[in-house]
Structure formats: C-alpha cells, structure tokens
C-alpha cells in the first residue's frame, strides 16, 4: 500500500478515536452565580455554601455555583427579580420576603404557624408528596410571571418568640409593646395588640439600646447570640408560632435550569435535600450551644411563652388566612391543599409519635412542666 494511502487511513482512524475520546476528556465546566439575601457571616449563608460544595462534588466538577452573599451583585431583596431577569443565575432566601408581590408567597415558606401546625417534615411531605412543588413553580411562573423555579433548602426554625425588656405573663402584658416584626407576621401581631416596627437585623440592637423598641424577634439561638441580643435584654421567650417551622428556598432561573444536563439537575435535587438535613442537624447543635452560652455568660432568662399568646396568634392567623382566601383564589387553592394534607398526616403523626417532651422530661427533667401547660391551654381553647 502506498505511503500516502497508509497515512490517509491512519489519520482517518485517529479522527475516529478522537471523536469518542474528546468529549469525555474535554467536558465543559458550567459556572453559575447565585446570590443570597444573607450577610456572609450568618449561619444561613453556611447552608448556601454547603449546597454549592455538594453540587460541585456530585457533578464531578462539571457544575460550579458561586455562593455570593447579600449585596454582592444586587440588593438582598432584589434576588427574585434578578433571577428572573438572569442578572444572577439563582438565589437563596425565603419566599415570605415576596408577600408584597402576592400574599401566597408566605405559604411556600410554611409561615406563619406551619400554616396549620405542620413541622418541617410535614411541609416537605406536602411539597414532594402532596403536589406542593408543582404549585410553587406555578406560583412563580403563572401567578407572578417570573421565569423561576424553587426548591426547599433551609430549615431555619423553630424561631423563638423573641427578646423583651421586661417579663410577660399573659396577652395583656404583650399588648402595646413596640416590637420589631416583619412581613405577614407583623400583621398577625398587630391584631394581637402589638405595635410593630419593621427593622433590618443590623438596626435591632442599636434601636433597643436607644429605647426605640421594647422587644424584638430575630431568629433565635446562634443567630441571636451573634447579633448581640443577650447583651441588651435578659428576657428571652420561646417558643413562637410565627416561624415554628419556616423553610427557606433555593431559586433558579428556568432557562438556566433547562440548560443543565439531566445529571446536573439530579445533582441539584439531591444536594438540596442533603443540605436541608445536614445543615439542619448542625444548626440544632449550634443553637443548643448558644442557649447554654446565653445563660452562663450573659445571664439570659430563657422562659416559656405564655400559652394564651400562642393560642391568640393561631386565632389571628386563621382570621387573616380566611380573609385572604375570600379575595385571592390562588392563596385559597394553596392553603386548602396544605390544610387537606395536614388534616391527613398530622392526626396520624400525633397518634403514632410519642410527645417529644415525654422522654425529654424523663431523662432531662425540668422543674416545671411547661409543655404540658401549653397542651392543656390549647385543649381548653378548642373546647371554647
């Protein structure tokens, strides 16, 4: 065979081999920029960072997401619109920030009061087993006309009732106090007689020191400790029903999502679920350590919220939800779905699960039985 012909065959064979080898060896790396609504120092941003690290590993480095903190590209409360416009590829926040656009936004954060008392797992059940995820995507894409999808990622709750300059023994003590509250929760507290003030986190402590506010709600545990609240007030009440099981979101531009490979999409789904669990259990331990430090270092009095305040909150929220349902069809559609799901799983769970306080009080007894008092008050309120 002539040398020229041999060379032609050799080149053809080499090209055929490279056509199979090159795509695997030259895998394209996709780089995305996501931004959160949180300062870089918050533990909530740790949740975001953990997610991006897992995506990197689960995709073998083919998908890299930069976890930017609040304000690095757009102001914190503009991440939803910025994701829609593809100024950023995605975001990390919580849907109740968008109640100014549509009141149903709060329902996708399981706030207030777990909607109908749902905890984290109940809400995830509704999302993944009760049609909730489809409604969430419908909310953004059809109701708000935004090119966005969302996933639940951040179990930043339960959150404490808050910090108070003086003790509160009942609803009457609660009324008239000027307290930092935000969003739809502020509406609920206003119905209960509280004067609410909308303040960003960084202004809470200075406002408290100047006597502008009498009380404040932030997050609880580690975040309250870092903010400096134990150095201002000594009375810390828990639990609260306002964010008893609130859950934050990961949002992604729909075109960006559709541009990912099937494997990359599955990696994101898996990373979201893993982050929810792994960050959540770490945060629980951080909060426990923070509570101990509050008590021992700052002399914080951690007290149980008077049960009648919790009952009054549920009643006020139910009133607001009923009013909104009467004038907002999509709100009604979502909350009806959530309550139908809750009516199925919550009674079964109550039947199957032992009360958390049962074994906790046996092994780590308290001097009083606050959990029992709360339950008894709730039963009396229902009978009324």
């Amino acid at each position: 065979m002539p040398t020229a012909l041999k060379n032609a065959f050799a080149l053809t064979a080499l090209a055929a081999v490279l056509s199979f080898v090159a795509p695997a060896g030259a895998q394209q790396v996709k780089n995305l920029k996501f931004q959160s609504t949180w300062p870089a120092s918050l533990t909530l941003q740790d949740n975001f960072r953990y997610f991006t690290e897992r995506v990197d590993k689960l995709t073998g480095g083919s998908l890299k997401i930069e976890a930017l903190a609040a304000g690095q590209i757009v102001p914190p409360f503009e991440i939803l619109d910025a994701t829609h416009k593809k100024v950023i590829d995605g975001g990390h926040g919580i849907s109740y920030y968008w109640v100014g656009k549509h009141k149903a936004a709060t329902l996708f954060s399981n706030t207030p009061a777990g909607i109908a008392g749902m905890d984290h797992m109940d809400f995830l059940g509704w999302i993944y087993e009760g049609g909730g995820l489809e409604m969430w995507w419908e909310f953004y894409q059809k109701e708000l006309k935004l090119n966005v999808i969302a996933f639940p990622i951040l179990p930043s709750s339960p959150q404490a009732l808050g910090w108070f300059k003086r003790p509160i023994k009942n609803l009457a003590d609660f009324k008239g106090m000027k307290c930092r509250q935000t969003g739809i929760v502020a509406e609920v507290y206003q119905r209960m007689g509280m004067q609410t003030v909308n303040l960003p986190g960084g202004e809470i402590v200075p406002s408290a020191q100047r006597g502008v506010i009498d009380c404040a709600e932030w997050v609880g545990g580690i975040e309250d400790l870092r903010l400096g609240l134990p150095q201002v007030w000594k009375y810390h009440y828990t639990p609260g029903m306002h964010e008893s099981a609130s859950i934050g979101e990961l949002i992604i531009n729909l075109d960006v999502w559709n541009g990912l490979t099937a494997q990359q999409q599955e990696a994101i789904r898996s990373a979201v679920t893993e982050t929810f669990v792994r960050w959540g259990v770490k945060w629980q331990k951080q909060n426990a350590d923070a509570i101990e430090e509050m008590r021992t270092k700052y002399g914080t009095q951690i007290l149980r919220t008077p049960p009648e305040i919790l009952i009054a909150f549920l009643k006020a929220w139910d009133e607001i939800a009923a009013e909104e349902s009467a004038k907002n069809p999509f709100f009604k559609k979502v909350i009806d779905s959530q309550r139908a799901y809750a009516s199925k799983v919550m009674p079964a769970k109550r039947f199957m699960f032992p009360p958390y306080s049962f074994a906790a009080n046996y092994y780590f007894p308290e001097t009083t039985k606050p959990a029992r008092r709360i339950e008894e008050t709730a039963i009396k309120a229902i009978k009324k």
Side-chain angles (χ1 to χ4, degrees):
M1 181 181 294
T3 301
L5 190 57
K6 286 182 180 179
N7 289 342
F9 275 118
L11 288 171
T12 301
L14 179 61
V17 171
L18 289 176
S19 69
F20 288 101
V21 175
Q27 188 179 31
Q28 290 291 318
V29 175
K30 185 178 285 289
N31 293 286
L32 302 177
K33 290 184 182 293
F34 285 27
Q35 185 193 297
S36 77
T37 58
W38 327 113
S41 60
L42 265 60
T43 57
L44 311 182
Q45 186 73 5
D46 294 340
N47 175 283
F48 191 19
R49 283 188 286 262
Y50 183 87
F51 162 75
T52 60
E53 290 166 4
R54 293 304 298 149
V55 168
D56 185 20
K57 291 179 180 178
L58 288 170
T59 61
S62 73
L63 180 59
K64 295 184 180 295
I65 300 174
E66 188 175 2
L68 300 166
Q72 286 194 260
I73 295 180
V74 297
F77 298 131
E78 292 182 15
I79 67 164
L80 180 62
D81 290 332
T83 298
H84 163 66
K85 296 173 183 176
K86 213 175 174 183
V87 175
I88 54 178
D89 299 303
H92 188 279
I94 191 162
S95 65
Y96 63 59
Y97 284 157
W98 324 128
V99 291
K101 294 178 179 290
H102 196 300
K103 284 288 181 66
T106 195
L107 303 177
F108 296 102
S109 63
N110 201 31
T111 303
I115 309 303
M118 291 189 291
D119 65 15
H120 297 123
M121 292 299 108
D122 301 332
F123 181 75
L124 283 189
W126 174 72
I127 287 290
Y128 291 119
E129 302 297 330
L133 191 64
E134 292 78 12
M135 285 190 187
W136 202 348
W137 291 17
E138 179 187 355
F139 172 66
Y140 281 135
Q141 293 169 30
K142 294 184 178 179
E143 288 295 308
L144 297 188
K145 311 299 183 187
L146 297 174
N147 200 34
V148 168
I149 62 170
F151 295 99
I153 192 170
L154 178 69
S156 53
S157 50
Q159 298 192 8
L161 180 72
W163 296 80
F164 294 78
K165 71 175 186 179
R166 55 179 169 79
I168 53 172
K169 297 179 180 179
N170 49 44
L171 189 58
D173 289 342
F174 193 72
K175 290 181 177 180
M177 297 189 84
K178 189 179 290 185
C179 193
R180 182 266 181 188
Q181 302 288 352
T182 59
I184 199 168
V185 166
E187 292 184 41
V188 179
Y189 280 127
Q190 286 165 13
R191 292 208 179 195
M192 295 167 62
M194 177 185 282
Q195 297 181 47
T196 63
V197 180
N198 186 7
L199 293 172
E203 293 181 24
I204 295 175
V205 169
S207 296
Q209 291 170 333
R210 296 196 309 270
V212 175
I213 54 176
D214 307 312
C215 50
E217 176 275 339
W218 179 228
V219 179
I222 183 66
E223 291 298 350
D224 287 14
L225 181 64
R226 289 182 177 181
L227 195 66
L229 284 165
Q231 295 161 265
V232 181
W233 290 314
K234 298 301 179 187
Y235 302 103
H236 186 43
Y237 282 86
T238 188
M241 289 308 303
H242 61 292
E243 293 196 49
S244 54
S246 53
I247 290 173
E249 66 181 355
L250 181 83
I251 55 175
I252 306 172
N253 177 277
L254 183 58
D255 292 335
V256 170
W257 174 257
N258 290 335
L260 301 176
T261 67
Q263 192 276 333
Q264 289 170 338
Q265 290 180 353
E266 286 305 308
I268 286 177
R269 291 178 186 271
S270 294
V272 160
T273 304
E274 182 184 342
T275 301
F276 191 101
V277 175
R278 288 292 303 276
W279 179 87
V281 295
K282 179 180 180 180
W283 200 61
Q284 186 177 32
K285 174 62 165 54
Q286 288 176 313
N287 285 336
D289 290 338
I291 287 171
E292 183 178 8
E293 185 174 342
M294 288 175 190
R295 282 173 165 157
T296 58
K297 185 175 180 179
Y298 297 103
T300 301
Q301 294 188 44
I302 298 178
L303 305 165
R304 285 293 188 183
T305 303
E308 67 177 278
I309 290 176
L310 302 178
I311 296 298
F313 186 95
L314 295 178
K315 289 180 177 179
W317 159 235
D318 285 346
E319 290 175 4
I320 290 174
E323 291 167 8
E324 192 63 29
S325 293
K327 62 186 179 183
N328 187 330
F330 190 79
F331 184 99
K332 185 178 189 308
K333 173 183 173 180
V334 176
I335 200 168
D336 284 353
S337 172
Q338 291 175 321
R339 288 184 168 171
Y341 185 86
S343 71
K344 177 76 70 173
V345 300
M346 287 178 62
K349 194 169 180 177
R350 180 177 57 199
F351 179 76
M352 296 295 295
F353 281 52
Y356 194 84
S357 58
F358 177 75
N361 289 340
Y362 178 83
Y363 288 104
F364 314 103
E366 293 181 298
T367 55
T368 61
K369 299 288 187 272
R372 183 178 177 183
R373 289 205 305 272
I374 290 172
E375 290 169 2
E376 289 174 348
T377 303
I379 291 169
K380 289 178 182 177
I382 291 168
K383 288 181 178 178
K384 289 180 182 178

